[in-house]
Every structure is written in C-alpha cells, then in structure tokens.
Amino acid sequence: MVKIKSPATGVALAIILVAPAACGKNGGQAQRPPVNLLIDAPRGAGVWRHTSWWEQDKGNSASRRWLRGVSDFTEIADAFGSVDAAKDHFRNLAPEKISPDVYRGVKNDDIGATMDGADEVEFKCGETNGSACMTWWTWARYGKYTVQFTYRHDPADATALTDTELAMIVSNAGREVAKKARGNS
C-alpha cells in the first residue's frame, strides 16, 4: 500500500497497487515502461500546476496530474506485451466500463481534438451539469499502449476550459504521446 498525501488539504489517500503482470497486462513479454509516454505538461490553455504528490509509476502503468484552479487534467498510460492485448483492453475495458461511478452519463463527444498517430481513439463526455460536460476524456491506443487523458471541471472553478481550449490541449498532448510512442516501440 502506498499513501499519497496532499500538501494542500492534508488528506491521505490509500492506494493498493497490483502488479500489472499479475493481471496479464504484459503477457510475459518485456516492453518499455509507459512512464515514457507521459506528457511534460498540458500545453495551449493557461498555466497548469503539476501535482507531484499525484504521480505514479507502477511498471506497466503510469499516471500524472495537473491542476488549474480546482479543475484537473490527468494522463494515464498502460503498456501491454502485444498489440493484440492492447487492442483487447482498449475495446473491452474503456474507462467508463471499469469505473462507472467516476464516468457517469457517458456519451461520445468530439470537440474537434485530433490524436495524431493513434491507432484507435474515442472522445467521451460524462457527468453533465445541464448541457455542460463536467468530465471529459480521450481514450486512445498507440500500438502496445493505451493512453487516457481526463479533464474534470469542478463547478466551483470559474476558469473552465472552453471546448476549443480543451481540444487544443488534447491535440497537443496526442502529438507528444505519438512522438514518444514511436520512440518506445
């Protein structure tokens, strides 16, 4: 068990780590770690604060989070032992399927972002406040890797991203991941 403590709130979150190899993610084959696919920072809309206390590298899975006001942008990257294993995971274990409590009211939502170099991609919205999307994510596959970008807008945050700003951030992130994924193959 790893405890992650937020310096701002003093709240501790306990996370139980499960070795991805035990879950069959890598299929017994070695691959480059997905931490290499994490973007340096969201680019294109405002200043984002990196929250190093919420960064994880669990071997076959890695994640990083940034804050802008109280809204957040998160990237999760997973590595698999084969393209077929990544395809199966992408098609059968989308974020809304494994965390339905987090990703509620799911609908496809293409805001004009592009994911250059991705083999498969889905743009989704969930948990709306009226007509506004409060949780928006991109689910993409790059060969043996899956990558998820999630933007969560807190209603108390007056600095919500517009669709155009979010599309720019996601498109920039997609290009950065595509470049890094080519180097990881």
Side-chain angles (χ1 to χ4, degrees):
M1 180 165 61
V2 174
K3 288 189 178 183
I4 301 172
K5 189 168 183 173
S6 165
T9 63
V11 176
L13 171 66
I15 297 175
I16 299 173
L17 301 176
V18 178
C23 298
K25 271 192 180 180
N26 74 356
Q29 298 176 0
Q31 70 272 325
R32 301 241 176 171
V35 72
N36 296 339
L37 298 184
L38 296 180
I39 64 171
D40 298 323
R43 293 181 292 116
V47 177
W48 291 83
R49 184 171 40 97
H50 175 42
T51 57
S52 59
W53 58 268
W54 203 92
E55 183 168 332
Q56 300 175 24
D57 179 0
K58 299 184 276 183
N60 288 351
S61 184
S63 59
R64 190 172 285 164
R65 180 180 182 200
W66 299 267
L67 297 174
R68 178 179 146 177
V70 291
S71 297
D72 69 82
F73 187 82
T74 304
E75 177 185 6
I76 301 170
D78 292 302
F80 297 86
S82 69
V83 170
D84 287 340
K87 283 181 183 178
D88 184 58
H89 184 81
F90 181 86
R91 293 177 183 150
N92 298 310
L93 295 170
E96 67 272 16
K97 292 178 182 174
I98 59 174
S99 299
D101 53 323
V102 175
Y103 303 99
R104 295 181 286 250
V106 178
K107 64 178 183 175
N108 289 330
D109 189 25
D110 185 354
I111 59 167
T114 59
M115 295 294 284
D116 296 340
D119 298 306
E120 298 180 83
V121 66
E122 295 177 358
F123 300 100
K124 304 281 181 109
C125 171
E127 193 172 21
T128 57
N129 183 7
S131 63
C133 181
M134 303 307 287
T135 303
W136 190 91
W137 65 99
T138 301
W139 177 233
R141 184 182 63 78
Y142 294 85
K144 298 189 301 184
Y145 301 92
T146 59
V147 175
Q148 174 188 341
F149 294 112
T150 304
Y151 171 66
R152 289 182 185 90
H153 171 66
D154 189 303
D157 189 350
T159 63
L161 293 176
T162 65
D163 284 356
T164 302
E165 290 172 323
L166 183 56
M168 184 185 322
I169 286 175
V170 170
S171 296
N172 288 337
R175 280 189 288 282
E176 188 174 336
V177 168
K179 182 179 177 183
K180 290 179 176 193
R182 284 191 299 271
N184 266 3
S185 297

